[in-house]
Amino acid sequence: ISLEQSRYVNVVADLKVRDTIRRMELDPRTSLVDRAVGSEVAQRGGARLLILPSVAEIGGRIRVTAEVVDPVSGKTLLSESADGKGLDAALESIDVVTKRLRNAFGESIAGIGRDSMPLPDVTTSSLDALRSFALAESAYSYSKYDEARGLFLQATKIDPRFALAHLGYARALSALGESSAAAESLAHAIALKSRLPARDQMYLDAWQAEIHEPARTLEKWQLMAKLYPDFFFASENVGYALRLRNRYEEALPYAKAAASERGDLTGLSWYLVGSLKLSLEDIPGAEAAFSEVERSGNERFGLSNSVLLAVKRDLAEADASLQQYRSKTGYWWVDRTSVLLDSGEWSQAVLEAQALYQSQRGSEQQRATRFPVAVSLWAQGQEKHALETLTVLTQESLGVVRQDEMPATARLEAAYIASASSILAARLGNADLASQAARTLLAHRSVYEGSPVDVMVVALQAILTWRENKNPKGAVQMIAGLVDGSEPLQIRALFVDMLFDAKEFDQALMHANWIASHRGRAYAEQGCSYCQQPLNVYENGLIALRIAEIQAQLNHRNLAEIELQRFDAAWSPDELPDHLRRRRTALLGTLSRIGDMPIAAES
């Protein structure tokens, strides 16, 4: 009580001490808090000092002694004592000793362990394993997933019964796209679940859903965030689960809560906040959030800043920033392919996409990187090669969807890729591939139910109605009710094409303008680990030409010419691939036949 009156001292509560001892796998009812146990409790809780009190009878007098110990080194820093005659003097002696300690704490000892941080509140009997776990969590929070993986693995080697270290290893593997290995490590954690306290058991259950039951992930994280509002991992994962479903407004409060300075994932949480702001076209908000990412020291600032520059159309600077980021981190990301497409650097985009594919050789993520290759080939005008790539990609992805023994997360991503690639193949003329994909995906609905793939599969069926049955109006009706802002941007672009073919030009114009106004969304949509980002960005650039074509059909020549000028400013007419040059030439022919029309209503 006396020590707590000092402005330099916060005494660790008895309840906290008992809980920590329990996590050390000792019995708090029988364990003596001696120098060894007390030092470990202090280190786990981030306490800078351990005080060992004792009472002894010396020469008929009662001596009260308080020894101040550095919990890390175990060295005695200070010892104070006071004597008194008889038991009645004990309280007075305690008062004398604590007053001396308080004076000492106000001076030199106050600086001891100034940089001490509490170790994670997790269950393990090994302090060394706990230290490795703490370092792993720190690396994870800075997006250093390779480093985190090694440290989590080391923690499991020191203490094979360390359940949350096995889970941490699974989390790091999942972040690196190694879903099969992640599922194996998760199984080790689940086998040790009974050793965990209630909150950690719930955390493990949520991660089990993350890897094996993606459709239940959101409800698991939402329940945990409600029960444990200060457990910021849960809030952040609600944000990610909602973001994956393109529900950005709903995700934002959770992401902001996770970005609290009291949390352990501040940099990652601010990255999530910035990505959500970008998806909502709040550029100043995204800039502010990404500044927090930089302040936290998280490596992702380089990537987020590059994307922000691209959204603001500082494409040359964005490209330079991405190349600098890659040279600094060694990581390959899809974003540079997107920026090159955005810049109209068609050949360079193909080379970058192919290099990205090669960089992922041997990893589970390589399959997804075929999609940017196909998109870049299509943009360049190599439709035949694009279709060949899409065919291989769709077949490989459908093969994963069919494998019941594969982790659910891997099958879900494969379903997204299969639907996205077969939709694009159908747009390029291969409806048979879309038909095959639709049949397989409908037969395995449980793989993707409740995810954005639901809309993709409906779109697959609609595109078959459009292409094979020559019924664009029927296709429009099939997906019209699903286009509400949570659908993948690729589906909105497909919807515009369907509306155009159905001659519903007013509706086509409205949805085309939506795409044009969602440049941040094009870059930030998560989809299949961003594999669709180049397509989104390409669609965002192409939409100006489509709007010009729509305005021409509405006999709005002046407005069509304004959009054509916007298109030409982004992609030089002299460097257009043949398929875009033909569309542009056809548009000019249409405009020449319209003549000058009154446009007062549209001005």
Side-chain angles (χ1 to χ4, degrees):
I1 292 171
S2 177
L3 283 175
E4 284 180 327
Q5 293 173 9
S6 169
R7 64 190 179 94
Y8 295 103
V9 176
N10 288 316
V11 179
V12 178
D14 287 343
L15 184 63
K16 174 68 173 176
V17 173
R18 289 196 294 272
D19 182 60
T20 303
I21 290 173
R22 190 177 294 109
R23 290 181 182 276
M24 292 164 60
E25 300 189 290
L26 299 174
D27 187 343
R29 296 170 297 179
T30 59
S31 297
L32 177 67
V33 183
D34 54 16
R35 182 182 292 258
V37 172
S39 292
E40 184 166 340
V41 170
Q43 289 182 72
R44 286 173 178 255
R48 299 176 184 178
L49 298 172
L50 167 69
I51 298 176
L52 292 175
S54 61
V55 180
E57 185 179 1
I58 301 175
R61 296 174 68 83
I62 302 296
R63 173 169 292 179
V64 175
T65 302
E67 190 178 351
V68 181
V69 177
D70 179 350
V72 178
S73 68
K75 293 180 180 179
T76 298
L77 304 173
L78 178 68
S79 181
E80 294 287 354
S81 61
D83 294 348
K85 190 174 278 190
L87 288 174
D88 292 341
L91 284 177
E92 184 179 343
S93 297
I94 290 172
D95 193 41
V96 170
V97 169
T98 53
K99 282 181 179 178
R100 292 175 184 170
L101 291 179
R102 285 172 56 185
N103 288 334
F105 292 156
E107 297 171 4
S108 58
I109 291 181
I112 295 294
R114 190 184 303 273
D115 297 325
S116 297
M117 291 294 290
L119 293 169
D121 286 332
V122 294
T123 303
T124 175
S125 60
S126 169
L127 186 58
D128 287 337
L130 184 58
R131 287 194 182 103
S132 185
F133 181 87
L135 291 170
E137 288 287 9
S138 178
Y140 190 96
S141 72
Y142 285 97
S143 303
K144 298 178 180 179
Y145 301 122
D146 277 320
E147 183 180 335
R149 172 173 56 180
L151 288 163
F152 280 128
L153 181 60
Q154 180 64 19
T156 65
K157 289 179 177 177
I158 297 171
D159 179 5
R161 300 171 63 205
F162 193 169
L164 290 188
H166 286 290
L167 176 58
Y169 188 47
R171 288 163 46 215
L173 289 167
S174 181
L176 291 166
E178 299 179 30
S179 55
S180 297
E184 183 179 345
S185 185
L186 177 66
H188 289 301
I190 292 170
L192 299 164
K193 177 180 172 180
S194 62
R195 301 176 63 249
L196 297 173
R199 189 199 72 180
D200 291 347
Q201 287 192 18
M202 198 171 188
Y203 184 51
L204 186 56
D205 286 342
W207 264 101
Q208 185 175 15
E210 191 80 44
I211 291 178
H212 292 298
E213 300 177 279
R216 298 190 63 201
T217 297
L218 177 58
E219 66 178 78
K220 290 280 188 179
W221 289 124
Q222 283 179 320
L223 177 60
M224 191 171 189
K226 185 175 182 178
L227 290 175
Y228 301 101
D230 289 336
F231 187 63
F232 298 110
F233 287 94
S235 295
E236 176 161 282
N237 284 324
V238 173
Y240 275 114
L242 287 168
R243 183 193 176 198
L244 190 62
R245 292 160 175 77
N246 300 335
R247 291 160 60 181
Y248 306 114
E249 287 277 11
E250 294 175 68
L252 201 52
Y254 291 99
K256 288 180 176 178
S260 164
E261 290 183 0
R262 295 180 293 142
D264 298 314
L265 293 169
T266 307
L268 277 178
S269 300
W270 277 117
Y271 177 78
L272 175 58
V273 171
S275 299
L276 293 170
K277 293 280 191 180
L278 203 57
S279 301
L280 293 166
E281 311 306 321
D282 179 1
I283 305 305
E287 285 180 316
F290 290 147
S291 293
E292 294 294 336
V293 177
E294 181 182 28
R295 190 173 293 113
S296 75
N298 191 292
E299 284 187 349
R300 289 221 171 190
F301 171 71
L303 181 63
S304 56
N305 184 56
S306 302
V307 170
L308 194 57
L309 288 167
V311 171
K312 293 161 65 176
R313 296 193 184 276
D314 296 331
L315 296 175
E317 194 172 343
D319 188 39
S321 178
L322 283 167
Q323 293 188 69
Q324 183 181 13
Y325 176 69
R326 182 161 69 205
S327 65
K328 179 181 177 182
T329 63
Y331 298 151
W332 284 76
W333 295 86
V334 72
D335 304 76
R336 185 162 186 255
T337 301
S338 302
V339 169
L340 289 168
L341 287 172
D342 212 357
S343 306
E345 301 285 345
W346 318 110
S347 298
Q348 285 298 312
V350 171
L351 293 174
E352 177 69 17
Q354 290 171 337
L356 170 66
Y357 176 76
Q358 293 299 326
S359 75
Q360 301 299 315
R361 184 175 295 279
S363 76
E364 293 181 22
Q365 293 176 302
Q366 188 178 29
R367 183 180 65 255
T369 59
R370 281 189 190 274
F371 194 60
V373 174
V375 171
S376 302
L377 288 169
W378 172 45
Q380 192 187 28
Q382 297 189 52
E383 288 193 7
K384 179 182 176 183
H385 290 135
L387 271 172
E388 290 170 353
T389 303
L390 290 168
T391 301
V392 172
L393 176 57
T394 302
Q395 299 287 8
E396 286 182 354
S397 300
L398 291 175
V400 174
V401 171
R402 295 187 191 99
Q403 295 179 44
D404 293 339
E405 68 278 7
M406 287 289 286
T409 47
R411 296 176 74 196
L412 175 59
E413 181 159 294
Y416 193 111
I417 296 168
S419 57
S421 58
S422 56
I423 286 172
L424 183 55
R427 291 173 71 182
L428 298 183
N430 188 346
D432 290 341
L433 190 64
S435 180
Q436 180 189 349
R439 287 195 303 271
T440 300
L441 291 170
L442 286 169
H444 295 85
R445 186 185 294 275
S446 61
V447 171
Y448 58 83
E449 204 162 17
S451 79
V453 180
D454 276 328
V455 181
M456 303 283 274
V457 173
V458 175
L460 263 175
Q461 297 170 289
I463 204 170
L464 292 172
T465 298
W466 179 28
R467 293 298 198 192
E468 289 191 329
N469 300 335
K470 312 297 182 186
N471 183 8
K473 288 187 179 293
V476 164
Q477 291 174 0
M478 289 178 71
I479 63 173
L482 301 175
V483 180
D484 60 4
S486 66
E487 80 288 345
L489 191 144
Q490 177 186 3
I491 302 306
R492 182 81 65 142
L494 173 65
F495 191 48
V496 170
D497 288 348
M498 289 176 173
L499 288 165
F500 186 87
D501 199 29
K503 302 189 185 313
E504 296 184 22
F505 298 119
D506 288 330
Q507 283 292 307
L509 182 60
M510 180 182 73
H511 290 286
N513 282 328
W514 185 95
I515 293 173
S517 65
H518 282 73
R519 185 171 172 78
R521 167 77 174 268
Y523 272 96
E525 187 179 276
Q526 194 169 354
C528 46
S529 299
Y530 300 101
C531 80
Q532 83 300 329
Q533 185 196 70
L535 177 60
N536 287 354
V537 171
Y538 179 65
E539 297 281 16
N540 182 261
L542 190 60
I543 202 67
L545 180 60
R546 175 56 90 194
I547 293 174
E549 292 168 336
I550 296 169
Q551 295 287 18
Q553 292 298 320
L554 292 169
N555 290 325
H556 300 160
R557 176 174 176 171
N558 289 16
L559 294 177
E561 287 177 343
I562 290 171
E563 290 299 329
L564 183 58
Q565 288 169 9
R566 190 170 295 149
F567 176 75
D568 290 346
W571 295 343
S572 170
D574 296 333
E575 298 174 8
L576 286 177
D578 286 343
H579 66 113
L580 293 183
R581 185 178 293 110
R582 287 194 295 271
R583 278 182 64 177
R584 185 179 181 278
T585 300
L587 172 62
L588 289 173
T590 301
L591 293 176
S592 68
R593 292 191 296 273
I594 293 175
D596 292 323
M597 302 293 293
I599 58 168
E602 289 76 35
S603 297

